Amino acid sequence: MAWSEELRSVHARLRKALRIAQDAAAEGGSVETASRDLLLFCHGFCTALTGHHVAEDRELFPAIAAEHPHLRETLRKLEQDHSMIAHLMGGLQAAVDSRAAPDELARHLDGVSAIMESHFRYEERQLLTVLETLALDAEPSRALGPF
């Protein structure tokens, strides 16, 4: 499978995981129930999204930069997005850990969702064509994360 398809597949799975976490926040009812459910769903989602971005920064982006030096600035912007998303994920994790109210948890998830979706769309617009022919000999989980 081409790297472009692998990236689309990972993004689709991360979008689905985020929707599950958002549904858990929306259905939360009590603070106790929402926090418990989100602890489970967010842990999986947070771990998967962070792993995806770490893998891209470590493995995928250097391979793209080596074959396509003209994309270095684009890759730098994507890495900046990764930093911003990591910061938002830290806020979400802190809210979950402190057993924040369901509406606060939902606000955190909405913020992550907005930035994540913008990032994914930009990344796909900029990189999918390049990924069609990228010569990277790596396991997909190493280049795109464990999700």
Side-chain angles (χ1 to χ4, degrees):
M1 181 182 299
W3 285 106
S4 59
E5 290 302 315
E6 293 285 353
L7 183 68
R8 280 188 185 115
S9 178
V10 167
H11 285 179
R13 289 191 306 270
L14 286 166
R15 285 175 174 121
K16 182 177 181 181
L18 177 61
R19 280 191 304 276
I20 290 169
Q22 288 173 312
D23 289 348
E27 296 170 8
S30 72
V31 170
E32 179 75 22
T33 301
S35 293
R36 185 185 63 237
D37 289 351
L38 273 180
L39 185 61
L40 172 65
F41 294 124
C42 283
H43 179 71
F45 168 69
C46 293
T47 299
L49 184 60
T50 300
H52 170 61
H53 288 158
V54 167
E56 283 183 329
D57 292 348
R58 180 192 63 232
E59 190 87 18
L60 185 65
F61 290 176
I64 292 170
E67 286 188 26
H68 302 277
H70 64 282
L71 289 174
R72 288 181 196 269
E73 181 61 21
T74 297
L75 297 171
R76 188 187 66 73
K77 288 177 184 176
L78 290 167
E79 288 170 344
Q80 285 178 329
D81 284 357
H82 291 173
S83 260
M84 181 177 18
I85 292 169
H87 175 74
L88 293 172
M89 298 300 280
L92 171 61
Q93 189 63 55
V96 169
D97 291 346
S98 70
R99 299 180 182 255
D103 62 329
E104 182 181 343
L105 296 170
R107 280 193 306 276
H108 280 283
L109 286 165
D110 288 346
V112 169
S113 176
I115 300 300
M116 185 185 90
E117 189 57 39
S118 173
H119 170 75
F120 283 177
R121 287 181 182 180
Y122 177 74
E123 186 173 56
E124 290 169 1
R125 274 193 321 273
Q126 298 299 314
L127 301 183
L128 285 179
T129 301
V130 167
L131 291 174
E132 288 290 327
T133 59
L134 182 67
L136 174 59
D137 184 24
E139 289 295 318
S141 63
R142 179 149 172 84
L144 293 171
F147 202 121

